[in-house]
Amino acid sequence: MSVSSSDTNTAKDPMPENQLPAAEPLPDPGDGTPPLDSAFGWVVVVGAFFNLMLSIGTTTTYGVYLQHYKLVEFPNASASLLSWIGTFQFSAMCFAGIGVGVLCEHVDTRLLSLCGAILSGLALIIASFCNAPWKLLLTQGLLYGAGGSLLYITGLTLPPQWFGKYRALATGIAIAGSGIGGLWLSFATNAMITHIGRKWALRATGLIVIGVCGATSLLMRMRFRPAKRKQIIEFAVLRDTRFAMLFFAALFGSSGFYIPFFFMPSYSEVVLGRNSAWGTNVSSIMNGAGIFGRVAMGLIGDKVGSLNTLLVTTLISCLSILVLWLPFSGFGPFLASAVIFGLCSGAIVSLIPVVTANIFGVERLPSIIGLLMLAYMTGGLISSPPAGAMLDKYGHGTSFSSIIIYDGVFLAASTICDIFLRIYISRKPWKKV
């Protein structure tokens, strides 16, 4: 007896719950959607590169400002209070990102990027007129973070939409902009603070953000507009076990990511006895390693799987902190720790959007990344400020052992979450995931 095609389709087994869905939704070929891996996709990558270079690059450079605030401008302020400025930058960026992710599905992303350039640049200019830590919390911290979220979310979520075969590489190149921004901004900020003062350093940086990101906002185009939906937040995603594992991997990973960037520059001066210029050098070395690491991990992720790569690099980041930085007080192991951490930790930022796209598809990627921003925000709040308090209370400003252990525990927890997610998706150890 013959079997009709409809009967054959009915007889197919449903997709297992933990199997990866198709990485790319397939719109009607006649709907005008540009093809995957098209030339214009690389134009979008260029725009995202500059968005992330200045939004995240400015945030990771806060260690230079922190060193100046603590040692020169506000020597009587606690390390914890001054750390809150940088933490508020990133946490506000992530909290606002929840709403920005939804806006990306309804508003022209070029307009959102332009608004982000203006708001974040003005925040830095306004901060230049502030002369108290609490005022800097509101301007250099909260206001900048709110504006930076518009640059950050568009830069983070648009490249994966335009690529299939080279998704991890394209995203890695875009996010490498944050490392390049941190690299040159570290030297530029230190030089500006030295020669023209902290206030003019903030003003110059603000004008650069407005000019550069305002121009590149014209490139920040979505590949397709998702279909309208009744719910602003897809609560089904919140109930997905894979999302929960990815959420906590991002939370713990982001917690462990910023502590070395904020405190390694001070460690080189306070513990190793290097001059103040070495704080900038350490920050630049870490960002420089991160540039290569983000692109390299993107290439590797396209070959062996983005989740596999994320798991291994998070583990190596953890070991660089607990095995090299914690037990040794010499310059050699410290420098090796900074280089290895900078090289591998960038995957925590660059590969999570790719993993998210591979698991859930790209159609709702902006809103799902927006939800993951809550994890990044929480991670920022429980990382550097408590670490600064530990340095004051237990380390008396000179012993960093407590915050190194604190950082290593976060990275170990993120690695464990990655392992559980990997096993949940596939128990085959050599499968590309």
Side-chain angles (χ1 to χ4, degrees):
M1 184 176 77
S2 63
V3 180
S4 67
S5 60
S6 61
D7 292 336
T8 303
N9 292 337
T10 305
K12 288 182 180 179
D13 293 332
M15 178 182 291
E17 182 184 357
N18 62 346
Q19 182 175 328
L20 289 175
E24 170 63 24
L26 301 176
D28 181 359
D31 68 355
T33 301
L36 284 172
D37 303 306
S38 64
F40 190 79
W42 294 107
V43 175
V44 175
V45 169
V46 172
F49 177 92
F50 282 101
N51 271 17
L52 295 171
M53 179 181 73
L54 290 170
S55 61
I56 299 299
T58 300
T59 302
T60 56
T61 307
Y62 178 71
V64 178
Y65 284 105
L66 177 61
Q67 184 179 16
H68 171 78
Y69 290 151
K70 182 60 180 173
L71 300 178
V72 179
E73 196 165 349
F74 308 113
N76 296 323
S78 69
S80 178
L81 173 62
L82 296 175
S83 296
W84 272 105
I85 299 172
T87 299
F88 271 28
Q89 280 186 337
F90 188 67
S91 296
M93 193 179 293
C94 294
F95 183 76
I98 300 172
V100 174
V102 176
L103 284 175
C104 284
E105 298 181 3
H106 299 85
V107 180
D108 191 327
T109 46
R110 290 168 290 191
L111 177 60
L112 293 177
S113 181
L114 177 61
C115 292
I118 295 172
L119 182 58
S120 55
L122 285 177
L124 296 178
I125 294 172
I126 295 171
S128 70
F129 296 97
C130 299
N131 54 8
W134 70 269
K135 294 179 181 179
L136 292 169
L137 281 171
L138 297 177
T139 53
Q140 191 177 2
L142 282 174
L143 186 59
Y144 174 82
S149 68
L150 293 162
L151 300 173
Y152 180 44
I153 299 299
T154 54
L156 203 61
T157 60
L158 292 187
Q161 290 186 359
W162 287 87
F163 294 90
K165 182 178 180 181
Y166 303 108
R167 178 173 291 161
L169 174 61
T171 306
I173 291 174
I175 297 180
S178 62
I180 292 178
L183 180 63
W184 74 265
L185 275 171
S186 295
F187 285 110
T189 300
N190 185 67
M192 287 189 291
I193 290 175
T194 301
H195 293 95
I196 61 177
R198 187 266 303 178
K199 295 182 178 182
W200 275 104
L202 286 169
R203 291 165 194 163
T205 305
L207 291 173
I208 291 171
V209 170
I210 294 173
V212 174
C213 294
T216 58
S217 64
L218 298 173
L219 311 179
M220 303 303 293
R221 173 188 164 193
M222 289 192 76
R223 179 170 164 260
F224 58 85
R225 184 71 58 190
K228 293 183 178 180
R229 50 186 168 139
K230 296 180 179 179
Q231 292 180 321
I232 296 178
I233 298 176
E234 295 190 33
F235 292 100
V237 174
L238 300 179
R239 296 190 295 268
D240 193 308
T241 303
R242 298 168 300 175
F243 177 81
M245 294 178 185
L246 188 60
F247 181 91
F248 284 104
L251 189 156
F252 294 130
S254 61
S255 299
F257 178 78
Y258 271 97
I259 291 176
F261 279 97
F262 280 5
F263 291 98
M264 275 188 165
S266 298
Y267 181 92
S268 67
E269 183 174 354
V270 174
V271 176
L272 299 180
R274 301 282 169 164
N275 59 40
S276 59
W278 256 101
T280 304
N281 292 340
V282 170
S283 179
S284 298
I285 288 169
M286 296 173 70
N287 281 297
I291 296 168
F292 176 79
R294 287 171 173 89
V295 177
M297 300 314 160
L299 281 169
I300 296 171
D302 283 329
K303 296 293 184 181
V304 305
S306 53
L307 180 55
N308 294 334
T309 308
L310 176 63
L311 192 162
V312 173
T313 52
T314 307
L315 175 60
I316 295 174
S317 298
C318 176
L319 294 176
S320 72
I321 297 299
L322 295 179
V323 176
L324 290 175
W325 191 14
L326 177 62
F328 301 102
S329 58
F331 180 73
F334 169 75
L335 184 60
S337 175
V339 171
I340 294 172
F341 182 83
L343 183 69
C344 294
S345 64
I348 297 172
V349 178
S350 65
L351 289 181
I352 283 183
V354 182
V355 173
T356 305
N358 290 342
I359 294 176
F360 300 103
V362 299
E363 186 176 13
R364 297 299 183 191
L365 182 61
S367 60
I368 295 175
I369 289 293
L371 292 173
L372 285 175
M373 288 300 102
L374 182 61
Y376 284 114
M377 181 194 73
T378 306
L381 291 174
I382 64 176
S383 59
S384 296
M390 289 180 185
L391 181 61
D392 289 333
K393 183 175 181 179
Y394 302 110
H396 306 291
T398 58
S399 176
F400 287 69
S401 297
S402 59
I403 67 172
I404 298 174
I405 295 172
Y406 189 61
D407 187 56
V409 169
F410 279 132
L411 293 169
S414 182
T415 303
I416 292 171
C417 291
D418 289 336
I419 292 172
F420 284 153
L421 178 59
R422 176 63 176 80
I423 294 173
Y424 187 84
I425 291 174
S426 175
R427 295 178 181 270
K428 298 178 180 179
W430 306 114
K431 183 176 180 180
K432 180 181 176 180
V433 178

